[in-house]
Amino acid sequence: MEYSVQSLGKMAGVSSRTLRYYDEIGLLKPARIHSSGYRMYGDMEVNQLQHILFYRELGLPLDQIKLLMNAPEFDTVRALVQHHQQLLIRRTQLNTLIQNVERTLAAQEGKIAMTDQQKFEGFKTKLVEENEQRYGQEIRSKYGDDVIDQGNARVLSRTMDEQKAVAQLSEQLMVVLKQAYKTGDPSSSEAQHAADLHRQWLSYHWPTYSKEAHAGLANMYVEDERFTAYYDALQPGMTVFLRDAIVIYTS
């Protein structure tokens, strides 16, 4: 089957203008251009558009979708598996939030008692979902589905005290890392303290800790522009500095 811009847009529920824009930015090119100048789309483009819309539904920006889909290692079956996993997480989050609202209403009416921890159920699921959306493909390909699924389960089972501890560790890491960077030496005591804080933070996310995996993650920070942007927001060059400190720490 072949589809024009108008017929494909109508079938997929997107505007013709959107499809033309996807063509302009190199996200979804037509299979061919008709002699009359119309864009024509075939089976491959239909499948690509489906992936794009899945990613859009999960909240990914167009530039990130393009990066993912144009990567040499992009695998359609694996992408569908990941879409399924992320949608299941979203469904779980929505169900949990609905139950949370219902319990909160019942608590407000004096029908039940509600603990402070119960009031925040569902928001941890959102944290897992956002992490999957931003980094799921990379970390799953590097560490495997089992490790990441176990890590997600740890996040979802955290107590309120553990949540606070993770937040405090994250804040402390950033403070110490900024101080360490001023030394210019990733082997300094300050830098090694930052690397140890990073290990402690990881231990709240990973089912098990290993030096090899820690060093591998640090290298991925440098290789992935999204991680680099996060740490370099503190100071340009901070990601490389942290990576070097962790490599020394784990050697």
Side-chain angles (χ1 to χ4, degrees):
M1 286 288 293
E2 276 197 330
Y3 301 91
S4 66
V5 166
Q6 185 176 5
S7 59
L8 179 59
K10 184 176 181 180
M11 180 174 65
V14 298
S15 68
S16 299
R17 181 180 179 181
T18 295
L19 292 177
R20 287 193 288 268
Y21 179 66
Y22 287 174
D23 181 12
E24 291 171 7
I25 65 174
L27 178 59
L28 180 66
K29 306 295 289 185
R32 66 185 183 90
I33 303 296
H34 193 273
S35 57
S36 59
Y38 293 118
R39 296 171 173 86
M40 302 301 296
Y41 299 84
D43 291 340
M44 185 174 74
E45 291 72 38
V46 169
N47 292 335
Q48 289 174 335
L49 179 58
Q50 184 191 37
H51 282 297
I52 292 169
L53 296 181
F54 274 135
Y55 282 128
R56 291 295 287 158
E57 186 65 27
L58 293 168
L60 271 69
L62 292 178
D63 57 348
Q64 187 176 339
I65 296 173
K66 181 180 176 181
L67 187 67
L68 289 171
M69 294 187 62
N70 290 343
E73 65 274 14
F74 181 77
D75 181 274
T76 56
V77 174
R78 183 174 181 83
L80 285 171
V81 170
Q82 291 171 344
H83 294 325
H84 185 247
Q85 291 170 335
Q86 292 168 7
L87 289 169
L88 287 176
I89 291 173
R90 173 170 288 188
R91 183 175 70 180
T92 300
Q93 180 201 355
L94 289 174
N95 288 338
T96 304
L97 287 173
I98 290 169
Q99 293 170 2
N100 192 307
V101 170
E102 291 172 346
R103 285 199 300 266
T104 302
L105 285 171
Q108 292 290 328
E109 294 170 355
K111 296 177 181 178
I112 64 170
M114 197 173 185
T115 66
D116 288 340
Q117 184 172 341
Q118 288 174 328
K119 293 175 182 178
F120 296 98
E121 287 180 359
F123 298 102
K124 289 183 290 185
T125 313
K126 183 178 180 181
L127 178 65
V128 169
E129 180 192 356
E130 290 175 346
N131 190 64
E132 283 280 357
Q133 290 174 2
R134 295 183 65 187
Y135 311 117
Q137 184 166 344
E138 291 83 0
I139 59 179
R140 285 182 179 276
S141 63
K142 190 173 185 66
Y143 299 107
D145 290 335
D146 289 344
V147 172
I148 303 307
D149 288 341
Q150 291 175 35
N152 288 343
R154 289 203 66 184
V155 173
L156 294 173
S157 63
R158 281 181 195 157
T159 65
M160 184 171 268
D161 287 342
E162 288 173 332
Q163 287 282 90
K164 291 179 180 177
V166 172
Q168 290 171 354
L169 262 177
S170 182
E171 293 176 3
Q172 186 181 4
L173 169 60
M174 293 304 185
V175 171
V176 173
L177 191 55
K178 288 172 68 175
Q179 295 172 344
Y181 186 83
K182 294 177 182 178
T183 70
D185 181 7
S187 65
S188 66
S189 59
E190 294 91 341
Q192 291 305 291
H193 183 202
D196 185 64
L197 288 172
H198 192 267
R199 175 196 61 79
Q200 294 178 46
W201 178 82
L202 276 180
S203 296
Y204 279 100
H205 296 79
W206 286 359
T208 56
Y209 172 83
S210 75
K211 290 184 176 181
E212 293 79 9
H214 193 182
L217 181 65
N219 281 313
M220 191 172 75
Y221 283 176
V222 175
E223 295 165 0
D224 191 303
E225 60 184 10
R226 290 164 297 173
F227 286 108
T228 302
Y230 178 76
Y231 286 102
D232 276 16
L234 287 175
Q235 169 73 43
M238 186 68 80
T239 312
V240 171
F241 183 82
L242 175 60
R243 187 273 312 275
D244 293 344
I246 291 173
V247 168
I248 293 170
Y249 178 83
T250 57
S251 62

